[in-house]
Amino acid sequence: MKGHISNPIGQVTIDTDVIAKYAGSMAVECFGIVGMASVSMKDGLAYLLGRDSLTKGVSVTLQDNKLSIDFHVIVSYGVSIQAVYRNLCDTVKYRIEELTGIPVEKINMYVEGVRVID
């Protein structure tokens, strides 16, 4: 799926993978998020992804030119998950809409694990 932005001069098409990579990089900068997670279907364990694999923890769906973004994250031990979610939503929604001009309709955050930070 690709997002479309039209103007009098022409049209811009944005692939959802580009949006996913940008959203993933914004998410790991949010307070309380240690990183993106990948869940192994074989053994049901969550693995912390490196910086080059951010899109595996992010799923972007585009429907009626509106975005829905799912994040699979690992959070820091002792932080309020509700505060982390609010921060993630505010940051990602603003930055994605500013970059693409496509409205973000829904953001889901799935906490796959908790990590103690030294």
Side-chain angles (χ1 to χ4, degrees):
M1 277 189 217
K2 298 181 188 249
H4 301 285
I5 304 168
S6 298
N7 63 39
I9 300 171
Q11 185 171 351
V12 177
T13 303
I14 305 171
D15 195 317
T16 54
D17 288 341
V18 173
I19 297 170
K21 188 165 193 167
Y22 187 69
S25 66
M26 292 299 101
V28 295
E29 292 179 8
C30 290
F31 170 77
I33 295 180
V34 175
M36 305 308 294
S38 174
V39 179
S40 169
M41 293 301 178
K42 186 174 105 180
D43 51 9
L45 297 174
Y47 297 101
L48 183 64
L49 296 171
R51 277 242 182 243
D52 28 329
S53 303
L54 292 176
T55 57
K56 291 182 182 172
V58 180
S59 173
V60 176
T61 307
L62 183 68
Q63 190 169 350
D64 299 328
N65 215 29
K66 292 181 183 173
L67 294 169
S68 293
I69 307 172
D70 295 339
F71 292 94
H72 295 268
V73 299
I74 295 177
V75 297
S76 299
Y77 176 78
V79 298
S80 166
I81 292 175
Q82 186 175 3
V84 172
Y85 177 67
R86 274 195 310 268
N87 186 19
L88 175 73
C89 288
D90 293 344
T91 302
V92 170
K93 184 175 180 354
Y94 173 76
R95 301 286 291 271
I96 293 293
E97 289 178 352
E98 180 183 51
L99 174 74
T100 64
I102 302 170
V104 176
E105 184 176 48
K106 185 176 8 175
I107 296 176
N108 297 314
M109 182 178 83
Y110 300 96
V111 179
E112 304 294 348
V114 176
R115 263 263 164 115
V116 177
I117 304 298
D118 294 333

